Amino acid sequence: MNKAASRFAFVSSDTADAKAALESLSERYGQTSIEDAEIVVALGGDGFLLQTLRDTMSTGKKVYGMNRGTIGFLMNEYRAGGLTGRIAAAVAETIRPLEMQAVTAEGETISALAINEVALWRQSYQTAKIRITVDGQVRLEELNCDGVMIATPAGSTAYNLSAHGPILPLDAPLLALTPVSPFRPRRWRGALLSNKATVRFDILEAEKRPVNAAADHTEVKAVTSVTVRESPTVTATLLFDPSHSWNERILAEQFRY
């Protein structure tokens, strides 16, 4: 193992392809612990990459993903050769997660971080009724919908895009506020907010129309209110190949048809 190789910690998802890549790359470049590594190389799909980012947030570790999953929108192309040079030339993008504070019907406050989005959705057959407040000012007195979300630029191509929300460049100082199947106001399609904004969702008729909330994979059932803001302190760093940068992917995605 050379000195360059000792900088890497390889981690993988549970798929056969990812495990095989982990074994091959560890043998080729050496393996070190996440605690001692400068670079964490994540092998899998986007979901595994996000989990790796959550595990390494605010540690100073940089995460370089290689696709051994299905879609891999956030991942670099998998190639076993030349990894040291690729990582040395990679472009770093620092992202900040969302902080969610959810209050439940029992009065419990639950906090969680989300790299992609904080989403609310109806728990029963009845539509949710949600009041939306931005920076202390009520902006929508009552949204009747299946759900609503706040998405980061990193998450704008995930659930947000499926709900017809806007795609955001990674360095855009914006958050996407996107409804899911809005019934009233029928023509409301959401809003672009400053990344400094604090958004509060209050659930109206919470007992009759229960709503769940989730910060990425952390789900909270039967919430009465949810407050969301971008974290001012927590960060995660992604590495992208210059030839296939995040901004290029964002641009290309907007011209797909």
Side-chain angles (χ1 to χ4, degrees):
M1 186 192 314
N2 58 38
K3 290 183 179 179
S6 67
R7 300 166 50 216
F8 302 152
F10 294 98
V11 295
S12 77
S13 66
D14 291 331
T15 67
D17 283 348
K19 287 182 176 180
L22 173 64
E23 182 177 353
S24 173
L25 293 172
S26 297
E27 183 177 346
R28 184 167 185 167
Y29 295 99
Q31 172 73 300
T32 190
S33 67
I34 292 178
E35 292 75 14
D36 295 331
E38 296 177 34
I39 309 294
V40 178
V41 180
L43 305 164
D46 286 343
F48 182 73
L49 178 66
L50 291 173
Q51 182 59 56
T52 304
L53 287 172
R54 281 190 287 271
D55 293 342
T56 58
M57 278 192 293
S58 292
T59 63
K61 311 295 181 185
K62 297 178 181 179
V63 178
Y64 182 85
M66 285 201 289
N67 188 20
R68 292 283 83 187
T70 51
I71 299 175
F73 188 83
L74 296 170
M75 311 297 277
N76 298 293
E77 180 186 354
Y78 178 77
R79 294 198 308 271
L83 183 60
T84 301
R86 288 176 70 189
I87 289 178
V91 177
E93 297 280 1
T94 299
I95 61 177
R96 293 185 180 274
L98 298 174
E99 295 179 344
M100 175 186 81
Q101 281 199 329
V103 179
T104 70
E106 289 75 26
E108 183 182 6
T109 299
I110 299 174
S111 300
L113 296 173
I115 293 174
N116 268 0
E117 76 278 317
V118 172
L120 290 76
W121 64 91
R122 63 187 175 103
Q123 188 178 330
S124 71
Y125 66 93
Q126 291 186 301
T127 59
K129 290 187 176 183
I130 301 172
R131 181 168 61 240
I132 301 176
T133 303
V134 180
D135 292 333
Q137 182 174 350
V138 175
R139 291 294 183 179
L140 202 54
E141 191 64 50
E142 184 178 301
L143 171 65
N144 292 7
C145 59
D146 281 352
V148 64
M149 77 188 79
I150 293 282
T152 67
S156 66
T157 57
Y159 186 20
N160 172 74
L161 182 59
S162 297
H164 307 291
I167 298 176
L168 303 177
L170 196 61
D171 57 357
L174 297 171
L175 301 173
L177 173 60
T178 302
V180 180
S181 301
F183 180 64
R184 289 196 183 91
R186 190 178 297 275
R187 295 184 180 178
W188 189 66
R189 291 295 179 262
L192 288 175
L193 304 178
S194 164
N195 64 337
K196 305 301 182 185
T198 297
V199 182
R200 178 183 169 106
F201 302 101
D202 288 289
I203 312 308
L204 309 178
E205 302 179 26
E207 290 188 7
K208 180 181 178 184
R209 302 170 184 270
V211 169
N212 293 350
D216 286 351
H217 300 302
T218 302
E219 184 176 356
V220 183
K221 295 185 179 297
V223 297
T224 57
S225 70
V226 175
T227 303
V228 184
R229 67 167 186 166
E230 183 183 83
S231 174
T233 57
V234 180
T235 62
T237 303
L238 272 171
L239 295 175
F240 294 105
D241 290 334
S243 60
H244 196 37
S245 69
W246 174 265
N247 284 336
E248 170 58 30
R249 294 178 216 196
I250 289 294
L251 189 61
E253 187 70 25
Q254 293 178 86
F255 286 90
R256 292 183 186 273
Y257 57 91

